[in-house]
Amino acid sequence: MGGLVRQLSRLRGSLHWGLFRGLSSAAGHTEVRVTHLEGHNAGIAEIIMCRPRARNSLGKLFVNEFFHCVDSLRHDGGVRVVVVRSAVPGVFCAGADLKERAQMGNSEASLFVQSLRKLMNEIAALPMPTIAAVDGYALGGGLELALACDLRVAASSAKLGLIETTRGLLPGAGGSQRLPRLVGIGLAKELIFTGRQIEGTQAFQIGLVNDSVPQNDEGNSAYKKALELAHEILPQAPVAVRMAKLAMNKGSEVDIASGMAIEGMCYGQVIPTKDRLEGMAAFQEKRPPRYTGE
């Protein structure tokens, strides 16, 4: 079964990339890349967005490279947490590349939005926890990208908003579905109908982000807080964390009885693991557990 899942995942990824076949970075510049941290940060991988002239807007090449990054992490057992961050000061992701979008016909634009929706779903489906570090503007598709992550940390001065209605559009990459689950349907409608932008402090107050921190002189306070949060996750049993994520994600899509059944199946996956035995032994021996993900 595991082999079949991997084959389907690779096929799904190749279909997505097929939408952008032939694209390549100018002068070898990479707009989105993966970095695996080392030392005391080992186990943390970062997806780093770096398209400064376009404020990390969601262009074809950007999306294509993001797909590659996600696919490279999907079956990486050495990665316990993924942090999504920007290397562009003052911006997380400014949303759609409107200049590029203006050159598309209706059918091409529709296909591109479908690819964005698939990308957000692929991010959400990564087996390990994901944390969005929002140190600047996260607007439209940029906020939808953050919403696709499990956790979000924002600088207090960051600007967040689903602004699509101000451009004659509506959130098309999952934002209209994920936002109500976080802040409630009434407030989600208010934010989407008005296209309002809110700061990180208010985003925390309404439950849109998990934490909001004052911005520092380096402009990376959310990133630093995201690393702190990642370090709280790192010591925990990787299989248990991944199964807990799966249970919550899939369980939230169905009724409570079906959700309980999904939880039971996920729980069954951790029973035969070495990590479970290690956790019990560490408790009895009154020492920190040493989990290996097995």
Side-chain angles (χ1 to χ4, degrees):
M1 179 64 72
L4 177 60
V5 171
R6 285 191 291 272
Q7 291 178 25
L8 290 174
S9 296
R10 285 195 292 269
L11 175 60
R12 185 168 62 245
S14 66
L15 289 173
H16 297 166
W17 300 339
L19 293 171
F20 311 106
R21 189 176 291 115
L23 291 174
S24 60
S25 299
H29 174 68
T30 301
E31 296 183 351
V32 186
R33 69 181 187 273
V34 169
T35 297
H36 292 77
L37 303 188
E38 300 176 346
H40 78 287
N41 290 319
I44 302 174
E46 296 180 351
I47 297 179
I48 304 173
M49 301 176 288
C50 187
R51 193 187 180 201
R53 292 187 178 181
R55 297 165 59 83
N56 289 341
S57 61
L58 299 163
K60 290 182 179 180
L61 178 59
F62 185 96
V63 172
N64 180 46
E65 292 183 348
F66 217 121
F67 267 123
H68 278 276
C69 291
V70 171
D71 192 67
S72 72
L73 293 170
R74 185 177 292 111
H75 302 297
D76 192 333
V79 176
R80 299 191 180 190
V81 187
V82 174
V83 174
V84 180
R85 70 177 180 91
S86 169
V88 181
V91 61
F92 176 75
C93 174
D97 185 334
L98 297 181
K99 291 183 179 179
E100 191 175 273
R101 187 76 63 86
Q103 305 302 314
M104 299 180 186
N106 289 343
S107 59
E108 185 182 4
S110 178
L111 286 173
F112 184 71
V113 172
Q114 289 180 40
S115 74
L116 286 179
R117 191 176 301 117
K118 291 174 183 177
L119 173 61
M120 304 311 171
N121 288 339
E122 291 294 314
I123 295 170
L126 278 171
M128 68 287 290
T130 54
I131 308 172
V134 183
D135 270 307
Y137 284 90
L139 304 176
L143 179 52
E144 291 182 286
L145 194 161
L147 289 171
C149 295
D150 297 305
L151 307 172
R152 285 154 297 284
V153 179
S156 57
S157 58
K159 298 285 189 179
L160 304 91
L162 294 178
I163 62 171
E164 286 86 348
T165 57
T166 70
R167 302 290 187 266
L169 299 167
L170 72 153
S176 64
Q177 303 304 305
R178 293 189 172 98
L179 185 63
R181 298 168 189 260
L182 290 173
V183 305
I185 186 67
L187 185 51
K189 286 181 176 179
E190 179 180 339
L191 293 173
I192 291 173
F193 293 168
T194 63
R196 183 185 305 151
Q197 298 180 33
I198 61 175
E199 293 189 340
T201 302
Q202 185 179 358
F204 172 65
Q205 292 171 347
I206 66 175
L208 177 54
V209 301
N210 296 79
D211 205 348
S212 175
V213 290
Q215 189 56 282
N216 57 26
D217 292 338
E218 293 77 24
N220 65 354
S221 65
Y223 168 59
K224 288 189 173 181
K225 187 64 179 180
L227 284 182
E228 289 181 17
L229 185 54
H231 274 278
E232 289 190 61
I233 298 171
L234 282 180
Q236 315 315 324
V239 177
V241 170
R242 291 182 178 214
M243 286 299 104
K245 173 174 176 173
L246 183 62
M248 287 186 281
N249 282 358
K250 295 301 181 182
S252 65
E253 299 173 357
V254 297
D255 61 86
I256 186 66
S258 300
M260 293 291 285
I262 292 171
E263 180 187 275
M265 289 187 288
C266 291
Y267 194 91
Q269 295 296 308
V270 304
I271 293 297
T273 63
K274 294 180 181 179
D275 279 352
R276 184 186 70 85
L277 298 177
E278 167 62 12
M280 299 299 291
F283 175 76
Q284 294 175 347
E285 297 167 14
K286 298 181 180 180
R287 61 171 174 81
R290 296 181 292 271
Y291 295 123
T292 63
E294 299 177 279

